[in-house]
Amino acid sequence: MAKRKTAFVCSDCGSEYPRWQGQCNDCQAWNTISEFVVSPAKSGAERNLRGFAGQTLAKVETLDSIDLQALPRFSAGFKELDRVLGGGIVPGSAILIGGSPGAGKSTLLLQVMCLLAQKRSTLYVTGEESLQQVAMRAQRLALPNDKLKLLAETNVETICELALEHKPDIMVIDSIQVMHLADVQSAPGSVSQVRESAAFLTRFAKQHHIAMFIVGHVTKEGSLAGPKVLEHCIDCSMMLEGESDSRYRTLRGNKNRFGAVNELGVFAMTDKGLREVSNPSAIFLSQSETQSPGSIVMVVWEGTRPLLVEIQALVDYSQMANPRRVAVGLEQNRLAMLLAILHRHGNVQMNDQDVFVNVVGGVKISETSADLALLLAMISSFRDALLEKELIAFGEVGLAGEIRPVPNGMERIQEAAKHGFKKAIVPKANMPKQPINGIEVIGVARLSDALEAL
């Protein structure tokens, strides 16, 4: 009997080591290195004998000889999902969708598959639920269930063999953490099983031009569970986010080989499943009739469209030696940097104040265009002064107190005017060349100019 070979792999970055150690040298993570069994390499003849029927050998081709018309995109039935995917589903693509338990991953994919089954051949593979559970969910959501094919299986080889018989155009694997390969001698969900199963399914999807959705779980930190190689081998990675007490879900693209990244799709969870939201800006704006200090609307850019989001700030006298700085939906370090800029260039000192910042609707803002709106909201709360209800602001604030321009300034202003805003404070470099009907645009070059504009 051949000696069993083992390797030690970091589940965060995929680095391999000859023996176990507590910390990964590459990503500096602790307790992420685990042991897995390395399958013996097979000879070329053995691989050919054990290959699937219809599998052809690879051949070298020139770039101009590749037929692009053979792989047209097709719609998933949801415009918001098509937006995140870059315009639709590409045949032969592997799409990974992750999210916390109860976010609605299985519900969304079941809705998509039931709609696509009316026009195309589909196969829904469930490894965590029984066929009766999937059928009960489809009945509860009042979905057409006469043409969708279901399979309850966790063995990857068996799934691919059955898929070759039925020849589906779209497949769903729910989920990758319960799938396993017979050749890999470790438990389902381990680093080796997740990596090898995902690589096997991805190769199968590309060889037979099958669009494949793969469901992945997330860790308690909110990142996809399993090795980092899982995100590298697939074509598109999406995260379905949403709090348990909120009816809205956001689908964000983290990686996309066929479209723009950081694209955002918004859905509403109802008793009949997920429904897409055609005007996301409306749900993130305040619904209260009374205006309060510390609240302002900003325009952020998500993927390929502008989004109006309300930001709130609360500045209060601190009873503690070290005042608290809490940011929900924004980066904590950027809040501390903006407070230093406000002190140095705005002559506003908040060293003895607690500062709490929140982005309404649970949206996470990563771009720097929220700097100016955040500063204005903090000053409004600190001075207990109301800001105009029909005012919007956006712009990046530099360390020298200058207001830097942001991309797509014209589109942001037009989106604000479309929603009825009458006044905008923007970087001077983002001033439109022609006046925009219905909105007054004020260009500012420094933080002092923005304070005077209030």
Side-chain angles (χ1 to χ4, degrees):
M1 179 181 293
K3 183 179 179 181
R4 191 179 74 163
K5 296 182 179 180
T6 60
F8 295 87
V9 179
C10 175
S11 60
D12 283 358
C13 65
S15 301
E16 296 187 6
Y17 298 92
R19 62 182 63 87
W20 184 89
Q21 58 188 53
Q23 185 182 26
C24 176
N25 296 333
D26 293 332
C27 65
Q28 306 300 321
W30 287 92
N31 300 323
T32 58
I33 299 176
S34 57
E35 180 183 7
F36 75 97
V37 179
V38 179
S39 301
K42 301 177 179 65
S43 64
E46 185 179 357
R47 284 194 296 267
N48 290 337
L49 288 174
R50 298 187 60 182
F52 286 114
Q55 181 175 347
T56 59
L57 295 176
K59 62 178 181 178
V60 179
E61 299 184 36
T62 58
L63 187 59
D64 60 348
S65 65
I66 300 174
D67 184 13
L68 299 180
Q69 301 299 326
L71 297 176
R73 294 177 184 263
F74 57 90
S75 175
F78 289 88
K79 293 182 179 179
E80 293 295 304
L81 179 57
D82 290 341
R83 175 188 292 272
V84 179
L85 292 175
I89 302 174
V90 178
S93 61
I95 304 167
L96 178 65
I97 176 170
S100 58
K105 304 182 296 298
S106 301
T107 300
L108 176 61
L109 291 178
L110 183 60
Q111 290 180 257
V112 170
M113 295 295 282
C114 286
L115 294 177
L116 290 176
Q118 305 304 311
K119 299 179 180 180
R120 296 177 178 270
S121 176
T122 57
L123 178 61
Y124 191 103
V125 181
T126 173
E128 299 181 346
E129 298 177 300
S130 64
L131 298 181
Q132 289 76 15
Q133 288 176 304
V134 178
M136 289 174 59
R137 183 188 295 117
Q139 184 180 13
R140 176 174 57 85
L141 301 177
L143 297 174
N145 54 8
D146 55 335
K147 295 184 179 180
L148 178 61
K149 299 176 183 177
L150 296 179
L151 172 64
E153 182 58 57
T154 58
N155 185 275
V156 175
E157 292 97 333
T158 304
I159 293 172
C160 293
E161 288 176 359
L162 292 174
L164 282 177
E165 297 179 6
H166 296 277
K167 294 181 172 55
D169 297 324
I170 311 102
M171 284 180 60
V172 168
I173 305 296
D174 188 8
S175 67
I176 191 61
Q177 271 76 22
V178 299
M179 298 296 154
H180 69 277
L181 285 166
D183 293 340
V184 181
Q185 301 177 8
S186 59
S190 62
V191 173
S192 56
Q193 283 286 7
V194 172
R195 181 172 68 174
E196 297 300 326
S197 297
F200 193 99
L201 290 169
T202 302
R203 289 196 303 268
F204 177 78
K206 294 184 179 300
Q207 288 172 358
H208 301 280
H209 303 293
I210 300 174
M212 184 174 296
F213 286 91
I214 301 176
V215 179
H217 296 307
V218 296
T219 62
K220 59 182 180 181
E221 290 82 12
S223 59
L224 281 167
K228 207 66 177 178
V229 183
L230 176 61
E231 298 181 50
H232 295 321
C233 68
I234 50 91
D235 298 312
C236 181
S237 175
M238 304 181 295
M239 291 293 293
L240 188 62
E241 303 170 346
E243 301 296 334
S244 58
D245 57 348
S246 174
R247 64 186 295 259
Y248 295 107
R249 303 289 188 268
T250 58
L251 183 66
R252 184 183 297 275
N254 298 325
K255 172 189 176 181
N256 194 352
R257 289 174 178 162
F258 308 109
V261 295
N262 289 328
E263 192 67 72
L264 187 70
V266 182
F267 298 86
M269 179 66 77
T270 66
D271 57 343
K272 297 299 182 182
L274 290 171
R275 296 289 182 267
E276 53 188 350
V277 179
S278 58
N279 187 14
S281 297
I283 67 173
F284 296 125
L285 300 180
S286 175
Q287 302 296 327
S288 61
E289 297 295 334
T290 59
Q291 185 75 356
S292 58
S295 176
I296 191 173
V297 177
M298 58 184 176
V299 188
V300 297
W301 194 262
E302 292 291 346
T304 58
R305 65 179 172 185
L307 190 66
L308 270 66
V309 180
E310 182 183 358
I311 187 171
Q312 295 178 328
L314 175 62
V315 180
D316 190 26
Y317 179 74
S318 177
Q319 304 290 338
M320 305 173 63
N322 295 321
R324 287 173 291 180
R325 305 286 187 258
V326 179
V328 179
L330 291 163
E331 188 180 355
Q332 188 85 15
N333 294 333
R334 195 150 194 92
L335 173 61
M337 184 189 73
L338 291 175
L339 287 172
I341 296 173
L342 187 61
H343 179 213
R344 180 67 180 271
H345 302 286
N347 295 323
V348 179
Q349 185 175 358
M350 299 184 184
N351 293 338
D352 57 346
Q353 305 288 322
D354 288 331
V355 179
F356 305 91
V357 179
N358 176 50
V359 180
V360 176
V363 182
K364 295 181 180 179
I365 306 300
S366 58
E367 66 169 358
T368 57
S369 65
D371 292 351
L372 182 58
L374 176 56
L375 285 177
L376 297 181
M378 290 189 296
I379 294 175
S380 171
S381 178
F382 182 61
R383 301 297 188 191
D384 198 22
L386 286 173
L387 296 175
E388 298 180 40
K389 189 174 183 179
E390 298 176 342
L391 170 68
I392 63 109
F394 63 85
E396 179 183 353
V397 180
L399 292 178
E402 76 278 12
I403 308 298
R404 296 178 175 270
V406 296
N408 308 106
M410 177 64 73
E411 290 81 356
R412 297 175 194 246
I413 299 174
Q414 291 175 345
E415 180 73 9
K418 187 175 68 175
H419 285 81
F421 288 87
K422 304 299 183 182
K423 188 176 181 180
I425 300 179
V426 303
K428 194 171 184 179
N430 285 128
M431 284 284 292
K433 296 181 180 179
Q434 300 294 333
I436 300 178
N437 294 331
I439 187 170
E440 177 190 1
V441 183
I442 302 175
V444 292
R446 299 192 58 81
L447 178 59
S448 57
D449 300 336
L451 298 181
E452 292 177 2
L454 291 180

